[in-house]
Amino acid sequence: MSHRTRFAPSPTGYLHIGGARTALFSWLLARKSGGQFILRIEDTDEDRNKEDAVDAILDGLSWLGIDWDEGPRVGGPHAPYRQTLRLQTYQEIAQRLLDEGKAYRCTCTTERLSALREVAKETGARRGYDGHCRKLGLGPEAGPSAIRLYVPDHTSVQVHDLIKGDVTWDSTEFDDFILVRPDGMPMYNFVVVCDDVAMQVTDVLRGDEHLNNTPKQLLIYAAIGAPRPRFGHMPLILDEQGRKMSKRYGDVAVSQYRDRGFLPEALVNYLARLGWAHGDAELFDVASLIKMFSVDGIGASAGKWDINKLKWVNAHWMKSLPLERIAADARPFVEACGHAPGDRWVDVVRVLRDRSQTLVELAGAAVLFYQADADVVVDREAVATVLAPAASLVEQAAEVFSTLPEWTEAALEAAGNALCVEANVKLGKLAQPLRVALVGQKVGPGLWQSLYILGRETSLRRMRSRWS
C-alpha cells in the first residue's frame, strides 16, 4: 500500500531535533511504500512566524538528505504549500459547514469568555464555552464573529493510534471550539484537517504533544465528511538528564549539530534509532533504513538523547564514507581555524579521520600540520626527557632523510627502518624522539604520515632545531 505522509512545521525558528525525527520517520514510511512525502509550512501564527526560519527548516531537511515530493521549492499538484496562501480555501470550507448547520457564528466577546473562565474557576465547573450563540442562528449581519464547530453531545471519539493503540475521548470533554477567529484567521486544528484532506494524506506521524489535538481534528473530519488518515503519536525525546529536550538545556537544532561537525548520515542514523529499532542493529545507511523501516518498530517509550552515542555513530561514518567526501566536508572547519588546506589535505584527512569523532575534532588535529614553528605547543618535558637524549640519532635521521630522492611515506619508512638496523636500536627509540621533534608532543599521528605531510623542508628544520 502506498502512503502519502507529510511534515508540517511552523516557521517560528530552527529545525528542532524532534521535528527532524518526525520528518525522517514520515519520509521513511513514504519511501518504503513508494508513496509521497509532502512538506507543508504552517504559518498562520503571524505573531511568531519568521521568514528566515522557512529557509532554515528547508535547508536543514536538505542537509539531512530528506527530500520532498511536494512542497516549497518543488511545487506539486496540491499547491500552494503555505497555509497563508490557502486562506480562501479555508473560508470556503468554513462557509460550507455554516450552510450545512455543522458550525455557527459566535459574537461572544473576550470579556464574556474571560468571565466564564473565572466562574468555572470559582465553582469548580468544567471550563469551556457554554454554547451561548449555538441556537441564535447568527448570519453575516451579526458583524465580526468567530465560527465554532457544533460538537455533538455524548459521542465517543476514537482512534486506533499506530503506536499507542486504541485511544478514546468523550465529546463532552470539549466545548464548541473555534474554527475561524473573528478576524478571519483560521485556527490550527481546522487548517491542518483542511490541508490533509486536500493533499490526500493517508498517514500522520507526529509527536506525542499533538495527541490532545487529535479528537478535535477527528470531529472536524467527521463534519467535513472526509476520510481521516491513520495517526501515530511518537513519544518525546528526553535530554541526558531525563528532561524534555529544549533550548534551555542544550543544543536542540539540527544546524547546531551540523556546526559541531556531525555528518548528516550519522545524525539520520542516530535519530532513526532514537525511538525505532530493528533487532539489535545500531548502524544503518539510508538504503537500509528505507528497506527495514516499519511503524511497528517505533517504541512507546521516550527516547533519551546520548551525545556520546551520537559521537560513536559519527566516528563510524567518519571512517566509512569516501575519503574525498570527508575531506570536502572537513575543509570549511579547517578554514575557520585560519588555515588553507594545501595539496596534501586528503592525506591529512586519511591520517586523522580514524582518530576523530567529529569534523571539528579532525580540523583541530589538522592544525598541527599547518602551524608555523612558533605557534606549535611544545611539551618541554618531552623535549628534555625524550628528544634531547636521542639528539644524535635524530640528527642521523635528518641526514638520511635529506638525501632521499622521493619524499614519500614508503621511502621514509624504509629509510627509518634501515637506520634503526644500522644503529642497532628498536624503531621506538627513533620514532618517539622523532615525533617530539616534528610536533612537539609525545603523542601524535602516524610518524611516516606526519613526515610526508609536513614535507621535506619543515620536517628537516624541526628535526635539526629540536625546539632549542
Side-chain angles (χ1 to χ4, degrees):
M1 180 174 59
S2 178
H3 299 272
R4 284 180 61 83
T5 65
R6 52 83 162 169
F7 177 54
S10 298
T12 56
Y14 45 77
L15 176 61
H16 190 281
I17 284 293
R21 185 186 67 167
T22 296
L24 174 63
F25 285 3
S26 299
W27 180 81
L28 289 171
L29 181 59
R31 291 291 173 263
K32 180 173 183 178
S33 68
Q36 294 80 41
F37 174 64
I38 303 163
L39 178 60
R40 185 174 72 227
I41 303 299
E42 297 187 343
D43 58 349
T44 53
D45 190 345
E46 295 176 314
D47 294 334
R48 298 179 62 212
N49 290 337
K50 302 174 184 176
E51 190 57 36
D52 57 353
V54 175
D55 289 333
I57 291 169
L58 302 188
D59 292 344
L61 291 172
S62 296
W63 179 74
L64 289 170
I66 299 175
D67 58 346
W68 49 98
D69 303 291
E70 301 178 28
R73 297 181 181 173
V74 300
H78 303 95
Y81 294 93
R82 293 185 63 152
Q83 289 180 335
T84 50
L85 301 178
R86 302 176 63 84
L87 295 179
Q88 182 176 348
T89 297
Y90 308 139
Q91 292 166 357
E92 291 172 353
I93 295 174
Q95 185 60 51
R96 177 164 66 82
L97 293 177
L98 288 171
D99 295 340
E100 294 174 355
K102 296 175 181 177
Y104 62 92
R105 297 182 185 276
C106 173
T107 56
C108 290
T109 63
T110 55
E111 291 76 15
R112 181 178 186 278
L113 297 176
S114 296
L116 282 177
R117 285 192 291 269
E118 286 301 317
V119 170
K121 183 178 180 180
E122 293 174 2
T123 62
R126 186 180 72 84
R127 300 183 188 186
Y129 182 61
D130 62 356
H132 174 75
C133 296
R134 201 177 202 197
K135 302 298 184 182
L136 298 183
L138 300 174
E141 70 282 352
S145 55
I147 298 177
R148 292 182 180 270
L149 183 74
Y150 277 109
V151 175
D153 297 328
H154 303 290
T155 297
S156 179
V157 182
Q158 299 177 322
V159 67
H160 177 73
D161 192 279
L162 297 172
I163 298 167
K164 294 181 172 296
D166 294 329
V167 185
T168 303
W169 301 266
D170 192 294
S171 64
T172 56
E173 298 177 34
F174 313 102
D175 54 10
D176 291 346
F177 55 88
I178 294 175
L179 302 178
V180 182
R181 297 195 314 234
D183 63 2
M185 187 60 68
M187 300 295 285
Y188 169 77
N189 284 313
F190 181 50
V191 295
V192 166
V193 172
C194 292
D195 289 343
D196 284 346
V197 170
M199 297 175 188
Q200 301 172 5
V201 172
T202 63
D203 297 82
V204 174
L205 298 180
R206 57 190 181 185
D208 211 17
E209 66 272 18
H210 287 286
L211 183 62
N212 289 336
N213 292 320
T214 303
K216 291 184 178 182
Q217 293 174 11
L218 294 177
L219 290 167
I220 297 172
Y221 277 106
I224 292 177
R228 64 195 197 184
R230 291 172 288 272
F231 289 93
H233 291 87
M234 297 177 290
L236 296 173
I237 299 176
L238 305 179
D239 68 12
E240 293 177 285
Q241 283 70 48
R243 304 166 299 203
K244 179 181 177 181
M245 282 193 78
S246 70
K247 185 177 180 180
R248 178 180 178 184
Y249 299 120
D251 293 344
V252 294
V254 167
S255 59
Q256 289 172 304
Y257 290 91
R258 178 192 62 204
D259 295 343
R260 288 174 62 183
F262 289 93
L263 297 164
E265 290 83 355
L267 195 53
V268 165
N269 186 158
Y270 182 72
L271 285 174
R273 284 291 288 112
L274 199 63
W276 171 84
H278 184 81
D280 296 327
E282 293 286 353
L283 301 169
F284 298 89
D285 59 18
V286 170
S288 298
L289 285 173
I290 292 173
K291 180 180 179 180
M292 298 175 182
F293 182 79
S294 71
V295 176
D296 292 341
I298 301 176
S301 301
K304 192 170 183 180
W305 192 259
D306 184 341
I307 190 64
N308 289 324
K309 186 172 181 180
L310 174 58
K311 288 181 178 179
W312 174 79
V313 174
N314 201 70
H316 163 78
W317 287 105
M318 292 274 288
K319 300 171 188 175
S320 302
L321 290 171
L323 180 61
E324 292 74 14
R325 157 68 192 285
I326 300 299
D329 285 2
R331 180 179 290 272
F333 292 96
V334 175
E335 292 173 341
C337 295
H339 299 284
D343 295 338
R344 294 175 180 171
W345 171 237
V346 173
D347 293 300
V348 173
V349 174
R350 174 171 55 84
V351 170
L352 296 176
R353 68 169 176 169
D354 286 358
R355 303 163 56 91
S356 308
Q357 289 188 304
T358 68
L359 298 173
V360 168
E361 284 186 18
L362 189 154
V367 167
L368 69 87
F369 290 115
Y370 299 102
Q371 288 176 313
D373 292 359
D375 296 328
V376 175
V377 177
V378 178
D379 181 347
R380 290 298 169 185
E381 182 181 354
V383 171
T385 60
V386 177
L387 178 54
S392 176
L393 186 60
V394 171
E395 180 61 34
Q396 291 179 58
E399 293 303 317
V400 169
F401 293 160
S402 69
T403 63
L404 290 176
E406 291 185 320
W407 192 267
T408 65
E409 291 178 30
L412 289 161
E413 182 175 7
N417 286 326
L419 175 60
C420 289
V421 171
E422 181 181 339
N424 194 28
V425 298
K426 293 184 178 180
L427 179 60
K429 293 294 183 178
L430 172 64
Q432 288 186 332
L434 263 185
R435 183 172 286 110
V436 176
L438 293 172
V439 299
Q441 303 288 325
K442 290 189 288 186
V443 178
L447 176 61
W448 313 120
Q449 294 95 331
S450 296
L451 281 162
Y452 168 69
I453 294 168
L454 286 169
R456 187 188 299 265
E457 180 181 347
T458 298
S459 296
L460 295 177
R461 182 178 65 251
R462 291 182 180 179
M463 290 167 67
R464 287 167 174 158
S465 73
R466 297 187 290 279
W467 307 112
S468 57

